[in-house]
């Protein structure tokens, strides 16, 4: 006989078959894998693509605004930007309006490369 605080296998099967949260998570992973496959020729993951897209704006955004848009904390955003900087996908320059700040943007060459891949 099971203990009162244990979840039965019948309950587990019910959750597996009916839980919206579980099904949404599975669907999100499937969609993410499809995007990862499509972006592989660029050497990007779907998360990196989303980050690059969030940086491609008319006016540069602060780290805080970008982190909020992507639902990331600033530390995670900084860590995610580093491989993109090393790969040449993101350039960091001094903000002319506030020399203490840095501006991150996607260089035109990379924008063209990403745009060409998206067109295929």
């Amino acid at each position: 006989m099971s203990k009162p605080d244990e979840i039965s296998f019948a309950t587990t099967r019910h959750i597996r078959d009916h839980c919206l949260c579980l099904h949404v998570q599975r669907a999100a992973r499937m969609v993410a894998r499809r995007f990862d496959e499509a972006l592989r020729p660029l050497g990007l993951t779907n998360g990196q693509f989303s980050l690059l897209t969030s940086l491609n704006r008319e006016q540069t955004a602060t780290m805080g605004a970008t982190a909020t848009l992507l639902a990331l904390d600033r530390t995670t955003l900084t860590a995610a930007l580093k491989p993109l900087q090393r790969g040449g996908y993101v350039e960091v320059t001094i903000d002319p309006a506030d020399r203490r700040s840095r501006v991150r943007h996607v260089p035109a060459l990379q924008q063209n490369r990403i745009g060409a891949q998206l067109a295929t």
Side-chain angles (χ1 to χ4, degrees), residues 1-69:
M1 189 165 222
S2 65
K3 296 177 186 174
D5 59 347
E6 288 183 358
I7 298 173
S8 70
F9 289 120
T11 300
T12 300
R13 281 192 301 274
H14 180 78
I15 291 169
R16 178 197 66 201
D17 295 340
H18 298 94
C19 177
L20 179 61
C21 180
L22 176 62
H23 291 290
V24 169
Q25 288 173 335
R26 288 181 66 206
R29 284 192 297 274
M30 290 170 53
V31 169
R33 280 194 292 271
R34 295 287 304 262
F35 277 99
D36 284 342
E37 289 172 22
L39 294 166
R40 189 168 290 124
L42 290 171
L44 296 173
T45 66
N46 69 80
Q48 290 171 324
F49 177 76
S50 296
L51 176 50
L52 289 172
T53 302
S54 73
L55 294 175
N56 190 27
R57 304 173 178 208
E58 289 181 25
Q59 296 179 2
T60 57
T62 63
M63 286 289 282
T66 304
T68 299
L69 175 68

Side-chain angles (χ1 to χ4, degrees), residues 74 92-104:
R74 289 176 58 137
V92 180
T93 57
I94 295 172
D95 184 349
D98 181 357
R99 299 196 53 78
R100 298 170 296 172
S101 297
R102 301 289 180 261
V103 176
R104 288 144 189 92

Side-chain angles (χ1 to χ4, degrees), residues 38-39 41-42 113-120:
L39 294 166
L42 290 171
R113 184 173 173 227
I114 293 167
Q117 180 65 29
L118 294 176
T120 59

Side-chain angles (χ1 to χ4, degrees), residues 75-105:
T75 304
T76 302
L77 176 58
T78 299
L81 281 166
K82 288 182 181 183
L84 294 172
Q85 286 176 253
R86 286 191 301 268
Y89 284 98
V90 174
E91 289 181 351
V92 180
T93 57
I94 295 172
D95 184 349
D98 181 357
R99 299 196 53 78
R100 298 170 296 172
S101 297
R102 301 289 180 261
V103 176
R104 288 144 189 92
H105 65 279

